[in-house]
């Protein structure tokens, strides 16, 4: 009703709301959670989150974070912290520099130090490491997905927004010629699936034999721009949170900016880059296909035995068989999408003028206690029934068998240099943006 004070009960609705409150008081905690977890429209859900955030802010520095599961002990301070993640709105102020640039003693509006916030954020990361798809390679059964990992909730909504803004700013700089020539490429979209924008940092990678006769791989004599500061923060986050190992810290990356219908055809990443490497996804969820044999159905459309959804803000790790035996591709995306693939160059393939970044040489992983390990950490799934336990044991047995049945060395050699398999025109040429290219 016009003129009513926001947040106040009016005479016309106080009776109805009192009845609702009375009903809510009769429910236990689990029943309340069930009521509040479904059936809301997008507007009501956002309003509910905002009110919860306001209540949490009012608790002040003496407040504690409640949990629906259990409380965990901070390995540094010994204080009790919540295992269950806070509401998304309260989570949005935990930014990329948490736990990386401060001593952990600074308090924020919700009363938690940077170190405590990072502990909560780290504990809510979900990790899936049990991908299995058995195929016969050279007559031997093998799990071609072994080595794949999917880490979700690594970057929250606020962080994703900052990264996306950074990418679009880099694209504008590339269109204006403010980046080095081989850094930015925006070819004409001459058919469905072709023409995605690419921005390379750290090294210039040549997708196919170029006009000078250079084969696919890192062009050591070419120079591109160094990694942007925000991208280095992303690398620190992933290494610190045990998403990437300390022995393979990325020193290069490629940004892909997709419009609806753009794709990446089947390929195996070149061995000028070490394993593991990773891809971070933004804007639109899409699927990535895996398999030792992937088929081209039509322009931008492919088929394969395994399809893995890539949620926004997630990190897909490619290693082992998942990087070297199975090919992968991204079919035509349903909407605008950004991906950033971080890779470490082989020391023997570094550009001649490349200088290591000291900022990326001092990253220390976050201390993990058994009680604070994220879901799926160390590849130990939570087993809730004898049936699930039996399935896990069966998969483990198959994986163990696959380890014994390693492919012949010659089979590995055939995939090592099998870079991009669909022809020279399936990837954009390197160089300046084409004249008239649109965003």
């Amino acid at each position: 009703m016009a003129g009513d004070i926001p947040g106040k009960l009016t005479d016309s609705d106080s009776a109805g709301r009192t009845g609702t409150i009375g009903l809510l008081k009769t429910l236990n905690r689990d029943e309340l959670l069930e009521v509040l977890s479904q059936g809301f429209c997008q507007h009501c859900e956002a309003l509910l989150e905002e009110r919860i955030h306001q209540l949490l802010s009012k608790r002040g520095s003496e407040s504690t974070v409640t949990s629906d599961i259990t409380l965990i002990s901070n390995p540094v301070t010994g204080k009790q912290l919540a295992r269950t993640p806070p509401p998304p709105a309260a989570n949005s102020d935990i930014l990329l520099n948490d736990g990386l640039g401060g001593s952990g003693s600074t308090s924020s509006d919700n009363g938690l130090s940077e170190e405590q916030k990072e502990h909560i954020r780290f504990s809510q990361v979900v990790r899936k490491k049990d991908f299995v798809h058995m195929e016969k390679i050279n007559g031997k059964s093998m799990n071609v997905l072994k080595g794949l990992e999917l880490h979700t909730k690594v970057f929250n909504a606020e962080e994703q927004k900052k990264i996306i803004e950074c990418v679009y700013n880099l694209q504008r700089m590339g269109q204006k010629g403010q980046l080095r020539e081989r850094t930015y490429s925006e070819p004409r979209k001459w058919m469905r699936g072709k023409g995605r924008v690419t921005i390379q940092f750290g090294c210039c990678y040549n997708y196919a034999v170029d006009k000078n006769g250079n084969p696919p791989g890192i062009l050591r004599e070419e120079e591109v721009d160094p990694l942007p500061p925000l991208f280095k923060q992303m690398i620190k986050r992933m290494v610190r949170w045990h998403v990437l190992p300390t022995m393979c810290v990325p020193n290069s990356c490629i940004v892909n900016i997709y419009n609806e219908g753009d794709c990446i055809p089947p390929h195996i990443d070149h061995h000028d880059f070490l394993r593991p490497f990773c891809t971070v996804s933004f804007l639109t969820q899409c699927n990535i296909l895996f398999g030792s044999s992937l088929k081209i159905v039509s322009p931008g459309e492919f088929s394969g035995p395994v399809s893995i959804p890539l949620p926004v803000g997630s990190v897909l790790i490619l290693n082992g068989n998942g990087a070297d035996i199975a090919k992968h591709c991204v079919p035509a995306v349903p909407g605008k999408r950004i991906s950033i693939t971080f890779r470490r160059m082989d020391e023997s393939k570094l550009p001649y003028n490349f200088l290591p970044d000291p900022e990326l040489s001092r990253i220390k992983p976050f201390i993990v206690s058994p009680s604070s390990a994220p879901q799926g950490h160390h590849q130990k799934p939570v087993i809730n029934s004898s049936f699930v336990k039996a399935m896990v044991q069966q998969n483990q047995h198959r994986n163990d068998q696959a380890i014994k049945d390693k492919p012949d060395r010659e089979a590995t050699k055939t995939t090592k240099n099998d870079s991009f398999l669909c022809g020279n025109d399936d990837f954009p040429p390197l160089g300046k943006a084409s004249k008239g290219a649109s965003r």
Side-chain angles (χ1 to χ4, degrees):
M1 182 181 295
D4 291 337
I5 301 174
K8 298 282 187 178
L9 287 175
T10 63
D11 293 338
S12 60
D13 65 2
S14 60
R17 293 201 184 187
T18 301
T20 302
I21 293 173
L23 287 172
L24 291 174
K25 289 181 177 179
T26 65
L27 303 178
N28 60 35
R29 185 183 66 178
D30 292 338
E31 291 169 336
L32 281 172
L33 287 175
E34 184 177 351
V35 170
L36 295 175
S37 64
Q38 56 187 341
F40 288 100
C41 68
Q42 208 168 20
H43 173 74
C44 293
E45 185 176 350
L47 183 61
L48 180 62
E49 289 179 356
E50 182 181 355
R51 289 179 178 175
I52 293 173
H53 182 42
Q54 290 172 350
L55 287 173
L56 290 175
S57 298
K58 289 179 181 179
R59 292 184 180 181
S61 59
E62 298 299 322
S63 63
T64 57
V65 181
T66 59
S67 172
D68 293 327
I69 302 177
T70 183
L71 291 177
I72 55 178
S73 178
N74 186 305
V76 178
T77 64
K79 294 182 178 180
Q80 294 292 309
L81 297 174
R83 176 67 181 272
T84 299
N91 189 32
S92 64
D93 64 349
I94 305 178
L95 302 179
L96 275 174
N97 61 347
D98 286 356
L100 302 179
S103 62
S105 59
T106 303
S107 294
S108 65
D109 292 339
N110 59 12
L112 296 175
S113 69
E114 294 299 315
E115 189 274 335
Q116 290 172 327
K117 288 192 296 181
E118 186 183 17
H119 196 279
I120 295 172
R121 284 290 307 278
F122 174 77
S123 68
Q124 67 181 306
V125 175
V126 179
R127 309 172 194 255
K128 179 176 175 58
K129 304 183 180 183
D130 55 353
F131 293 98
V132 175
H133 176 68
M134 307 304 294
E135 292 189 23
K136 280 198 172 183
I137 307 296
N138 293 332
K140 297 180 179 180
S141 183
M142 176 186 301
N143 177 16
V144 298
L145 302 185
K146 186 175 179 60
L148 290 186
E149 301 177 10
L150 183 63
H151 302 249
T152 56
K153 300 184 180 180
V154 178
F155 301 100
N156 64 22
E158 187 68 21
E159 293 163 351
Q160 292 176 44
K161 181 180 177 182
K162 289 181 178 294
I163 296 166
I164 292 166
E165 289 175 352
C166 175
V167 169
Y168 281 143
N169 184 53
L170 291 168
Q171 183 181 18
R172 287 189 290 269
M173 292 174 65
Q175 291 170 333
K176 295 176 182 178
Q178 296 172 347
L179 299 176
R180 289 180 178 172
E181 180 180 355
R182 305 303 291 267
T183 298
Y184 184 78
S185 177
E186 185 171 347
R188 292 181 183 275
K189 185 180 289 295
W190 54 277
M191 68 175 292
R192 174 178 167 83
K194 311 293 184 180
R196 75 184 187 282
V197 174
T198 60
I199 314 175
Q200 302 193 74
F201 296 101
C203 72
C204 177
Y205 177 75
N206 189 31
Y207 287 106
V209 177
D210 61 18
K211 61 183 180 181
N212 298 322
N214 294 312
I218 295 174
L219 300 180
R220 304 186 69 186
E221 69 280 0
E222 295 286 351
E223 289 190 37
V224 297
D225 288 275
L227 288 165
L230 187 61
F231 288 12
K232 289 191 286 186
Q233 285 183 285
M234 294 174 66
I235 292 172
K236 291 178 182 179
R237 163 68 60 81
M238 292 186 289
V239 174
R240 184 166 170 80
W241 285 11
H242 302 263
V243 176
L244 286 170
T246 55
M247 75 283 286
C248 198
V249 177
N251 53 14
S252 71
C253 79
I254 182 166
V255 180
N256 288 292
I257 305 175
Y258 303 74
N259 283 315
E260 181 180 349
D262 287 344
C263 68
I264 292 183
H267 67 279
I268 290 176
D269 279 53
H270 201 284
H271 276 71
D272 280 1
F273 300 101
L274 302 181
R275 274 58 170 155
F277 56 93
C278 72
T279 294
V280 193
S281 300
F282 302 99
L283 282 180
T284 300
Q285 176 171 309
C286 72
N287 293 336
I288 184 169
L289 304 184
F290 281 91
S292 62
S293 178
L294 301 176
K295 297 180 180 179
I296 301 175
V297 178
S298 61
E301 297 299 333
F302 316 106
S303 65
V306 180
S307 178
I308 300 175
L310 299 177
V312 295
S314 67
V315 182
L316 179 69
I317 303 295
L318 291 91
N319 197 14
N321 294 347
D324 296 334
I325 302 299
K327 301 180 182 70
H328 60 274
C329 67
V330 176
V333 296
K336 291 190 72 69
R337 176 179 187 254
I338 290 174
S339 69
I340 307 178
T341 298
F342 291 96
R343 299 181 289 199
R344 183 173 183 85
M345 295 176 277
D346 187 301
E347 294 293 324
S348 64
K349 303 295 183 179
L350 291 174
Y352 293 121
N353 294 326
F354 179 82
L355 294 176
D357 192 325
E359 193 176 344
L360 297 177
S361 64
R362 302 185 297 268
I363 309 174
K364 295 182 179 180
F366 191 71
I367 300 174
V368 182
S369 63
S371 59
S372 65
Q375 181 180 340
H377 198 59
H378 301 308
Q379 304 187 38
K380 292 183 179 179
V382 178
I383 302 175
N384 295 320
S385 69
S386 57
F387 172 75
V388 175
K389 185 174 181 180
M391 291 299 295
V392 171
Q393 290 174 341
Q394 181 180 356
N395 284 338
Q396 185 62 47
H397 174 73
R398 293 168 67 184
N399 288 344
D400 293 341
Q401 187 63 35
I403 293 174
K404 296 177 182 178
D405 298 333
K406 290 184 178 180
D408 296 334
R409 291 184 181 271
E410 290 301 318
T412 304
K413 289 181 181 178
T414 60
T415 60
K416 185 171 183 179
N417 295 317
D418 194 10
S419 178
F420 292 99
L421 308 175
C422 293
N424 296 349
D425 296 330
D426 286 316
F427 289 84
L430 298 175
K432 291 183 178 180
S434 301
K435 293 181 180 180
S438 60
R439 282 192 57 183

